[in-house]
Amino acid sequence: MDISLMHSKIGKFLVKTIYMFPVGYLAWIITNGSHFEHPYIPFVAGIGIASLIVCRHVFDYETFDDIKTEDFLESKHSFNIDYSEKNWNQIREVLESQFIQVVNFKESDGFIFMQIDKRFFNSILIVEKIDHKINLRIKRKNFNFFPDNADNYRTIKTLMKIIK
């Protein structure tokens, strides 16, 4: 395994743990209260809970062998494929067949917007023609800096497999 790749994944793990720290801290404070005689306990528990949450997400992302470092522990992803009328029509057909739960669907010439219904946080899928490429982007609608159990990555990879 490439050392720089490992450091990058570890760095992403640490950054996401910092993002999740308030969630872990509040979870500890709400359930156990704040102990002023030991103020470090809620802090350490918050880091521990945040680390556990992010670690759970790591296992979901690690199931993909081909995931790039920039997509690791992220909820927004982007892929380009070569533009052809066949590819564009195939994408339209797949998205119109709604292989995923869709809340909002808009289409214009060279642009498709979909809001995908997820359990807790909806995602947005944007497909657009740019020069000689078709750009597929997916992101979480809200809180897109939190990991998403690789749901968005799984959705866009499934779409890419159907197209190819």
Side-chain angles (χ1 to χ4, degrees):
M1 174 179 258
D2 186 13
I3 297 295
S4 64
L5 177 69
M6 189 172 73
H7 286 295
S8 182
K9 285 185 176 183
I10 290 171
K12 280 197 158 208
F13 177 84
L14 293 174
V15 167
K16 296 299 177 175
T17 300
I18 291 169
Y19 285 161
M20 293 302 289
F21 171 75
V23 173
Y25 185 78
L26 286 175
W28 180 265
I29 294 294
I30 289 171
T31 58
N32 297 308
S34 177
H35 301 290
F36 292 108
E37 62 271 1
H38 302 292
Y40 58 87
I41 291 176
F43 182 78
V44 171
I47 290 173
I49 292 169
S51 295
L52 287 173
I53 291 169
V54 175
C55 190
R56 188 176 142 246
H57 291 277
V58 166
F59 293 119
D60 292 327
Y61 283 92
E62 285 295 329
T63 60
F64 295 100
D65 294 333
D66 61 340
I67 194 162
K68 296 182 223 165
T69 306
E70 61 264 9
D71 287 330
F72 187 72
L73 290 177
E74 296 294 334
S75 67
K76 49 187 168 183
H77 310 283
S78 178
F79 290 97
N80 288 319
I81 60 173
D82 291 329
Y83 173 77
S84 71
E85 203 60 41
K86 179 187 170 207
N87 283 348
W88 182 256
N89 289 333
Q90 198 168 10
I91 290 171
R92 285 182 54 237
E93 288 172 15
V94 169
L95 294 179
E96 287 174 356
S97 71
Q98 294 187 0
F99 77 103
I100 44 183
Q101 278 294 89
V102 176
V103 176
N104 191 358
F105 183 86
K106 296 177 185 170
E107 182 179 2
S108 65
D109 187 41
F111 184 82
I112 300 172
F113 172 90
M114 294 179 76
Q115 185 174 333
I116 303 167
D117 185 29
K118 302 279 184 159
R119 267 186 300 175
F120 298 110
F121 300 105
N122 291 345
S123 294
I124 295 173
L125 175 67
I126 297 172
V127 181
E128 63 183 326
K129 296 179 200 175
I130 301 175
D131 297 326
H132 301 292
K133 298 280 185 194
I134 299 174
N135 182 261
L136 298 126
R137 289 177 289 165
I138 192 165
K139 67 177 185 171
R140 186 183 281 169
K141 185 176 179 185
N142 300 314
F143 302 109
N144 60 7
F145 47 88
F146 289 140
D148 68 340
N149 288 16
D151 283 339
N152 285 343
Y153 192 79
R154 190 175 296 110
T155 300
I156 204 161
K157 289 301 276 187
T158 302
L159 180 60
M160 297 288 286
K161 283 181 186 177
I162 292 171
I163 294 166
K164 292 183 178 189

